[in-house]
């Protein structure tokens, strides 16, 4: 009888993951998380609309609060047979035109004045009280004045939008221009860069993220300005449509107009985010831990 003990079986070697496996697993996790987010959003919308529909059917008066089914009927009516004042597409186009024109003009002057005053402490100190006073003026009063000055047409709505957008962009451009690394500017001047070259190569690129961040808020203000201007006095547009719905106690029409404006704002937000992503490709990405970069 042999006294030798049998040798223990060799432990299996661990299987090392390749880089492709790690990337594939990370991609699957990201896809699964994105799907879950959209499913949760859909569930929130379904619960919200369902509870609203039930509440308006059995507990509250839909004449005052409307309900999703009536809002949907109004939207279908507007997009198939039109409104009492023409095609719904024409109403949307009027509001978008007013918002877009005012947005471009207000953003342009906001960037120009923000960067100039951000780089000139003397001018900033001189004009600071005037800028703060202008920013404190109530916009609704200005919208009423613009209607008196420029009439019910495009000009009064664009002027209202410009005022709202200008200050939203100006303060971000001003801060972005002031936050530029002083060492970069000093080094550029030592190397012989002119003021124009410093502004073009250092100040504007450094302030770009600040400016683009303000554009997200600014276009929302642009739509608000256009709607407020139309609500004050207009011949067409979504604000005019909402004001007419309110005057005829058409609650569903008010909600339908608000929903259309919201969709337009979301589309504009998507476009600005796409533009921001292309212009800021040079910026290092921010790592997200377990999806903490939510907004």
């Amino acid at each position: 009888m042999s006294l030798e003990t049998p040798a223990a079986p060799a432990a299996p070697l661990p299987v090392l993951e390749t880089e492709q496996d790690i990337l594939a697993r990370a991609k699957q996790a990201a896809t699964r998380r994105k799907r879950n987010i959209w499913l949760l959003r859909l569930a929130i919308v379904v619960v919200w609309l369902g509870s609203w529909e039930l509440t308006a059917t059995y507990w509250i008066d839909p004449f005052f609060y409307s309900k999703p089914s009536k809002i949907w009927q109004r939207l279908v009516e507007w997009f198939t047979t039109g409104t009492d004042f023409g095609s719904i597409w024409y109403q949307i186009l009027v509001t978008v035109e007013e918002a877009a024109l005012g947005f471009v003009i207000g953003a342009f002057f906001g960037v120009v004045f923000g960067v100039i005053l951000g780089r000139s402490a003397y001018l900033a100190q001189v004009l600071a009280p005037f800028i703060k006073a202008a920013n404190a003026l109530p916009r609704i009063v200005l919208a009423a004045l613009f209607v008196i000055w420029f009439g019910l047409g495009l000009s009064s709505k664009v002027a209202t939008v410009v005022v709202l957008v200008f200050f939203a962009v100006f303060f971000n451009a001003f801060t972005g221009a002031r936050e530029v690394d002083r060492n970069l500017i000093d080094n550029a001047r030592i190397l012989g860069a002119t003021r124009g070259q410093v502004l073009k190569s250092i100040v504007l690129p450094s302030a770009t993220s600040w400016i683009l961040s303000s554009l997200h808020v600014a276009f929302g203000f642009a739509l608000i300005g256009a709607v407020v201007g139309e609500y004050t006095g207009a011949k067409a547009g979504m604000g005019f449509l909402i004001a007419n719905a309110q005057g005829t106690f058409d609650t569903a029409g008010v909600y339908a107009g608000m929903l259309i404006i919201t969709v337009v704002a979301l589309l504009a937000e998507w476009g600005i985010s796409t533009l921001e992503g292309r212009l800021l490709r040079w910026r290092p990405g921010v790592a997200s831990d377990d999806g903490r970069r939510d907004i």
Side-chain angles (χ1 to χ4, degrees), residues 20 32 63 82 88 104 127 175 183 219 229 232 241-242 270 279:
Q20 289 77 10
R32 185 166 55 252
F63 178 81
I88 185 62
V104 171
L127 298 178
T175 303
N183 291 329
F219 195 83
T232 305
L241 209 60
I242 292 173
W270 172 80
L279 292 178

Side-chain angles (χ1 to χ4, degrees), residues 62 149 154 210 219:
W149 294 347
L154 179 69
W210 288 84
F219 195 83

Side-chain angles (χ1 to χ4, degrees), residues 239-259:
F240 170 73
L241 209 60
I242 292 173
N244 179 76
Q246 181 197 18
T248 56
F249 297 97
D250 180 13
T251 313
V254 174
Y255 281 115
M258 291 169 58
L259 182 60

Side-chain angles (χ1 to χ4, degrees), residues 7-107:
L13 295 175
V15 179
L16 299 178
E17 286 186 310
T18 63
E19 183 179 355
Q20 289 77 10
D21 294 334
I22 296 173
L23 292 175
R25 191 174 72 252
K27 186 176 181 180
Q28 290 176 356
T31 302
R32 185 166 55 252
R33 180 176 181 274
K34 187 175 182 180
R35 184 191 64 228
N36 293 338
I37 288 174
W38 278 103
L39 288 174
L40 182 58
R41 289 172 176 172
L42 180 61
I44 292 173
V45 171
V46 169
V47 171
W48 171 47
L49 294 179
S51 60
W52 184 4
E53 182 76 21
L54 290 174
T55 303
T57 302
Y58 297 105
W59 290 289
I60 61 177
D61 189 351
F63 178 81
F64 296 104
Y65 300 97
S66 191
K67 54 184 180 179
S69 58
K70 293 194 174 204
I71 298 170
W72 175 253
Q73 290 173 5
R74 181 68 69 247
L75 287 171
V76 171
E77 177 187 342
W78 281 356
F79 281 97
T80 54
T81 63
T83 70
D84 294 335
F85 306 97
S87 169
I88 185 62
W89 295 109
Y90 173 72
Q91 310 298 330
I92 296 172
L93 180 62
V94 168
T95 300
V96 170
E97 181 184 13
E98 295 163 353
L101 283 174
F103 175 76
V104 171
I105 297 171

